[in-house]
Amino acid sequence: MTYLSKSSTFRLLNRAALLGICLLLSVTSIAQTKKSGGDDEPVFLDYRGVQIGWLADDVRKKLGVPADKGDEQDFYKFSDNETCQVLYDKTTRKVTAISVDFTSGASSVITPQQVFGSDIEAKADGTVYKLVRYPKKGYWVSYYRGGGNAPSITITMQKM
């Protein structure tokens, strides 16, 4: 029987949560793209200077040594409250997705204004989410903030 370390279990759960959030956000993406004018220029172009399409080596030069390094994904831990996953194309080693997570107590949390240029209306349960596709740029951007007293925030950019 194989046991996972605490950090491996956390990363696995974090990745599963990210996939669930992306699936949830994708369900509403068509309507929101039409509503928000997805052909507009994106406001959120990069995270810490890293963009979709960058080579893995360039990402590592910019962000430093990842906490968990892989051929298809790097995991960065900038603080106890800010982490980032960078996913790479298996063949080209170019960035296909960037997902950033902030937990309660994080400093310099990215806001909806920084991502979309405007606020996002919260749902009745306090959650906030929006996904906008930018076909001319070839990627989409999503923003999710959970409800409750200590909500987590996930911002994702992904190649289309």
Side-chain angles (χ1 to χ4, degrees):
M1 181 175 230
T2 303
Y3 293 96
L4 297 173
S5 70
K6 188 175 181 181
S7 64
S8 294
T9 302
F10 173 77
R11 283 192 300 275
L12 183 62
L13 291 173
N14 192 19
R15 291 172 187 155
L18 172 63
L19 289 174
I21 290 167
C22 289
L23 180 61
L24 173 68
L25 293 171
S26 293
V27 170
T28 61
S29 68
I30 294 172
Q32 288 182 346
T33 298
K34 289 179 182 176
K35 185 177 176 181
S36 66
D39 288 333
D40 296 338
E41 287 294 312
V43 174
F44 192 68
L45 303 172
D46 64 75
Y47 170 70
R48 293 184 177 235
V50 174
Q51 298 180 347
I52 298 294
W54 274 34
L55 292 171
D57 289 341
D58 294 331
V59 172
R60 292 171 183 154
K61 286 177 189 172
K62 183 74 175 174
L63 298 181
V65 178
D68 187 9
K69 181 178 176 180
D71 290 336
E72 295 180 48
Q73 176 176 311
D74 287 339
F75 178 79
Y76 290 89
K77 184 173 180 178
F78 297 109
S79 72
D80 288 339
N81 307 97
E82 181 180 353
T83 60
C84 173
Q85 296 175 52
V86 181
L87 285 74
Y88 305 107
D89 178 91
K90 190 176 191 173
T91 306
T92 64
R93 305 277 298 129
K94 290 184 177 182
V95 175
T96 58
I98 302 167
S99 183
V100 185
D101 294 300
F102 298 96
T103 57
S104 181
S107 61
S108 303
V109 175
I110 298 170
T111 66
Q113 294 87 357
Q114 292 170 295
V115 177
F116 300 112
S118 63
D119 283 325
I120 304 170
E121 188 174 330
K123 304 293 180 197
D125 64 358
T127 60
V128 172
Y129 67 88
K130 182 175 183 175
L131 183 145
V132 177
R133 294 179 186 270
Y134 299 100
K136 290 179 183 175
K137 294 294 183 181
Y139 66 90
W140 56 260
V141 178
S142 68
Y143 183 97
Y144 172 82
R145 184 185 75 213
N149 295 334
S152 62
I153 295 170
T154 300
I155 296 103
T156 304
M157 301 173 69
Q158 184 170 324
K159 181 179 175 181
M160 295 183 350

